[in-house]
Amino acid sequence: MLLQTRRSRIPWTTLVLSAVTALVAAVISLLPPLGAPAAHAASAAQSRSDGGPGGPSESRPVYSYENAIRESVWVDTTIDGDADGRTDRVAVDIVRPREPAAQGRRVPVIMDASPYYSCCGRGNESQTKTYDAAGNPVQFPLFYDNYFVPRGYATVLVDLAGTNRSDGCVDVGGRSDILSAKAVVDWLNGRAAAYSARTGGERIKASWSNGATGMIGKSYDGTIANGVAATGVKGLKTIVPIGAISSWYDYYFAKGAALFGSGPDGLSAAVESDDAHARCAAVQKRLVEGAPRNGDWTGLWTDRTYVPAVDKVRASVFAVHGAQDLNVRTKHLGQWWNALADAGVERKIWLSQTGHVDPFDYRRGEWVRTLHRWFDHYLLGVDNGIEREPMADVERAPDQWSTDRVWPPSGTQQTTLRPRGGATAGVGVLGTERAGPGATETFTDDPALSEADWSAAIDTSTPGKAGFTTGPLEKDLRLSGSGTVTVTATPSTTSAHLSAVLVDLGPATIRDYTAAGEGITTLDRRTCWGSSTEGDSACFKETAADKEDVDYTVFSRGWADLGHSADDGKGRPLTPGKAYTITLDLAATDHVVPAGHRLGLIIAGTDAGLLEPPSTTPRLTLDLPRTSARLPLVGGAPKAAAAPSRTAATPPLKGVRAPHHRTPLPSMSTRG
């Protein structure tokens, strides 16, 4: 990926918001009453602190959380997803400060639309929504309400269609999911209807909302934020997707190779409510039929891929992801980020060393501070300069972070590296020179072996992989962004899967992303982030980095089904003895291979625990001159000492444990 310069198609917004903010103190007495139009930068003005000549610098906790208004409404989606003859209504639970409404002022909204509020919970402690005897909300999961409501924001939690207290059916990122959340943004802006009950009831207007909405959420929730932003809905000012999906096909498949043991029907069944399960059989059937396990592209996937609609995105984007997320892999981040950059969307990124973990659980204090400033800027119009600060924060080692003005950094360019044979079969060299004509390496797919097994034996000739390494690097080598590996291979059977893995060969201390906590350990003590009530505590368990000393680090990977080499979305049986060429997409990364370490490329078959095996057990012959890696290198190709010759087996290297068998969201992690 070439460097994406930091540009915006909406540069005037910051200037306008700054000017409005500076005038707030002078015009506060002129703010319109409830029910009249209001500029979003003027809302919650009295909750800000004095920022001096440049205007207010941040919102302050001046409103009562204990006395906040807690209410529920049901927004009409205009969709009849469950085909019961009436349009579906989704449950919307709200906590908002009482004082602005009493003063005739409107407030902005922080919104998390999720399917997990009753089935699975949110956050490290798997919190669910709770209600009092009258059905009014009591506990909101996570800290957003505790922290932001006293600062002049409303917090809105939406039960996606077919979940918890909502009508309709879960369709896993499809029209019902996205439009049910979009309808709430429309309601907050006066463009949709809501009612006081799931059926019947009086019509309710969001007269307390100024329409400025920010969506946030991890995993499925963040995916919904991506999808709603891609509709171009007016009023959605920013999104904060955390470990989010950008294409549901790429969640379940990698170029035809199945990544999980089931499709979207399994996830739908896990999150939908009991009554939805009884009425949504037709939707379940469509999910099964539209997502065949052979990995072929269908119309179902077209409707669940948000990247092509990125030109509609009006919102700024603060993307957060774990570089070692083996659930929602960073391919989702990479392709979404690149598309946002091409569309000129204002954006920011955090990339940690963790797996599928919320930043509240690995960088809590800095996360709350940064999120506060982000929402203040994009929802309240505070000119705090956050949009002019470094675009990227990247975790280099546990709890050690660096920043970049733009991401990928200046000087990043796609550079081609090539594998060549070595003195020992299956133990080759990685460099800039092309292998000689006719050079090959062979391996036999062993579905019991994982990337950990391959990496531990990269310097040893083993039948299950082909490994290629540079010599020790003369200086640090940084890879930043998304890469590809193009493989030409001849199979011995009618089906074959391929894996490509990048490895940093050298000692390091990393987060143990394959452990149960995916890089964190949960502690017994708690810290508090905002105000509490008897039913909703702002205090959460602290965490610490779960560290591991290793001899190697796998930092990017990609997979494909060789039968999908035609690149038309359809798989075909292979002809044994025929050569096929296919390009594997490597997950986005930002990793520094230090001087003295080696960079390794491994090409193998099934990556156990991550990839489902093919129907046969093929032996594959790699055509080395027609195999290469295009990697996003900062500063160009590596300078390496001569690769040492290896003629004898070497002791296995130590890494983190092999990835455990993955199942789709949400059951793979209790952290949501």
Side-chain angles (χ1 to χ4, degrees), residues 418-585:
R418 303 180 184 279
R420 307 193 312 275
T424 306
V427 182
V429 176
L430 183 66
T432 57
E433 296 180 24
R434 187 190 299 268
T440 62
E441 288 285 3
T442 61
F443 62 87
T444 300
D445 187 6
D446 185 344
L449 299 179
S450 72
E451 59 188 42
D453 300 307
W454 306 329
S455 300
I458 193 170
D459 292 327
T460 302
S461 180
T462 57
K465 59 93 177 74
F468 310 91
T469 69
T470 68
L473 300 179
E474 295 182 1
K475 61 180 182 179
D476 293 354
L477 178 67
R478 181 177 177 184
L479 296 88
S480 184
S482 303
T484 59
V485 174
T486 298
V487 175
T488 297
T490 301
S492 64
T493 61
T494 57
S495 65
H497 287 169
L498 288 169
S499 299
V501 171
L502 294 180
V503 192
D504 174 349
L505 296 161
T509 300
I510 65 172
R511 289 183 183 265
D512 187 356
Y513 59 88
T514 65
E518 298 188 50
I520 65 167
T521 298
T522 302
L523 309 176
D524 290 331
R525 62 179 182 268
R526 294 179 179 271
T527 54
C528 302
W529 301 87
S531 302
S532 298
T533 63
E534 183 177 351
D536 193 326
S537 173
C539 305
F540 299 87
K541 290 182 177 180
E542 291 186 9
T543 68
D546 182 5
K547 302 177 184 179
E548 184 76 10
D549 293 329
V550 297
D551 298 326
Y552 68 84
T553 306
V554 175
F555 62 89
S556 186
R557 50 197 55 89
W559 310 281
D561 168 45
L562 193 57
H564 281 75
S565 61
D567 206 26
D568 59 358
K570 296 181 180 180
R572 298 170 177 81
L574 301 172
T575 300
K578 177 182 176 180
Y580 296 85
T581 298
I582 193 167
T583 296
L584 290 69
D585 297 323

Side-chain angles (χ1 to χ4, degrees), residues 102-118:
Q103 297 162 1
R105 293 186 295 106
R106 298 179 173 193
V107 297
V109 170
I110 296 169
M111 173 176 153
D112 188 342
S114 176
Y116 295 142
Y117 287 130
S118 63

Side-chain angles (χ1 to χ4, degrees), residues 141-265:
L142 306 174
F143 74 98
Y144 307 138
D145 56 316
N146 309 88
Y147 186 84
F148 285 105
V149 169
R151 289 169 167 79
Y153 295 82
T155 302
V156 171
L157 303 189
V158 182
D159 295 330
L160 289 182
T163 70
N164 202 16
R165 302 198 297 173
S166 290
D167 290 336
C169 300
V170 178
D171 67 353
V172 189
R175 183 169 178 266
S176 178
D177 272 7
I178 300 305
L179 295 187
S180 65
K182 176 184 177 291
V184 180
V185 179
D186 284 330
W187 174 67
L188 293 167
N189 283 271
R191 299 187 298 267
Y195 300 87
S196 60
R198 187 167 177 175
T199 59
E202 64 175 305
R203 186 160 177 170
I204 306 293
K205 292 185 177 181
S207 56
W208 48 267
S209 164
N210 68 14
T213 303
M215 292 186 68
I216 189 171
K218 178 192 164 195
S219 200
Y220 202 137
D221 306 16
T223 303
I224 299 302
N226 284 344
V228 174
T231 69
V233 61
K234 294 181 180 179
L236 183 61
K237 302 298 182 182
T238 191
I239 63 171
V240 185
I242 303 166
I245 294 166
S246 58
S247 163
W248 282 93
Y249 177 88
D250 292 323
Y251 182 72
Y252 286 102
F253 298 98
K255 282 206 171 170
L259 296 168
F260 298 111
S262 66
D265 56 302

Side-chain angles (χ1 to χ4, degrees), residues 374-385:
W374 186 264
F375 281 145
D376 272 3
H377 178 68
Y378 286 102
L379 298 182
L380 288 180
V382 176
D383 184 13
N384 53 26

